[in-house]
Amino acid sequence: MIEEIKSMILELCKDKEWDWKAHVESVVKYSKILAKQLNADDEVCELSAWLHDIIKIRDGKRDLHHVNGSEEAVKILEKHDYPKEKIQQVKHCIITHSSDETYIPESIEAKIVASADALSHFDNLLALAHYVFVLKKESVNQCRETLLKKYEKSWKKLLIPEAKEIAKPKYEAIKLILGEQN
Ligand SMILES: [Fe+2]
Ligand SMILES: [Fe+2]
């Protein structure tokens, strides 16, 4: 089932302005690493990672993509006869992955997926820079500031120490490269 969901998501990622494939694959990668380290349900983490941004990828809609995405994931997983209890776990992971404070990650799996989502940004400096420079047309100084803020926010979204451990060298390097004054 994971393979089918993976192919469906990768198909949706094709021909989009943003490199969704790189983002989602990175979220899956970190979800699996953290699930293993923390003895969490790796299947729930992986499925949630593949599906977490489905609405943004498919419909280009950012607002409430975590809420609508969680409902879409339920529909997809029900079609695959996935166990009800596990569907609820995936739903919780997806609805809590964004920074909307109405929905706070409670399960370890949800903390893993939210952290993996933030971790993926640390793999993706050039894509984010491209977004700020080219698509938002910011100046060099604005771009530097926007990126530093973005990475500070991502750092705060790392809810578990194991995730901070993975991101730390990259965060330090990014701050150094972007010239943050200490
Ligand atoms: Fe998202
Ligand atoms: Fe995401």
Side-chain angles (χ1 to χ4, degrees):
M1 179 189 63
I2 291 185
E3 279 307 311
E4 274 177 44
I5 287 176
K6 175 182 169 182
S7 320
M8 183 261 293
I9 293 293
L10 291 179
E11 196 54 43
L12 290 176
C13 291
K14 285 182 184 162
D15 306 320
K16 297 282 166 19
E17 200 172 42
W18 177 254
D19 188 356
W20 283 111
K21 181 174 181 281
H23 172 63
V24 182
E25 283 181 342
S26 171
V27 180
V28 170
K29 174 182 83 179
Y30 287 123
S31 292
K32 286 165 86 171
I33 291 173
L34 292 168
K36 204 168 184 191
Q37 277 184 17
L38 293 157
N39 273 325
D41 187 323
D42 54 348
E43 193 180 62
V44 165
C45 289
E46 184 173 356
L47 282 169
S48 306
W50 282 116
L51 290 164
H52 80 286
D53 275 338
I54 185 167
I55 297 294
K56 260 201 216 172
I57 302 169
R58 195 189 63 193
D59 308 337
K61 286 185 185 151
R62 196 185 173 81
D63 289 349
L64 293 179
H65 76 281
H66 50 303
V67 178
N68 299 328
S70 71
E71 282 159 15
E72 188 63 28
V74 169
K75 282 188 209 155
I76 293 168
L77 295 171
E78 277 174 350
K79 269 189 209 150
H80 282 87
D81 284 325
Y82 197 51
K84 278 198 169 58
E85 189 198 315
K86 288 210 175 201
I87 292 181
Q88 287 310 310
Q89 285 180 267
V90 172
K91 186 181 180 191
H92 176 65
C93 291
I94 296 179
I95 207 167
T96 60
H97 87 271
S98 81
S99 7
D100 179 353
E101 287 175 5
T102 319
Y103 306 100
I104 308 289
E106 278 164 14
S107 67
I108 187 64
E109 287 78 15
K111 287 178 187 166
I112 285 172
V113 176
S115 300
D117 193 29
L119 262 177
S120 77
H121 298 146
F122 293 90
D123 277 358
N124 228 352
L125 174 63
L126 285 183
L128 284 183
H130 174 260
Y131 171 73
V132 185
F133 268 123
V134 182
L135 304 176
K136 285 184 78 185
K137 298 191 172 61
E138 291 195 356
S139 70
V140 171
N141 279 336
Q142 278 172 326
C143 181
R144 180 183 291 127
E145 224 170 89
T146 305
L147 287 173
L148 281 169
K149 271 194 202 135
K150 176 92 191 144
Y151 277 104
E152 202 187 329
K153 200 174 152 200
S154 298
W155 177 255
K156 286 186 182 147
K157 263 191 81 186
L158 299 170
L159 302 172
I160 35 187
E162 288 79 359
K164 280 203 153 80
E165 198 65 42
I166 297 171
K168 200 168 180 233
K170 289 179 183 177
Y171 187 38
E172 298 294 331
I174 286 166
K175 284 197 288 186
L176 191 67
I177 287 166
L178 294 178
E180 189 191 57
Q181 301 297 314
N182 289 312

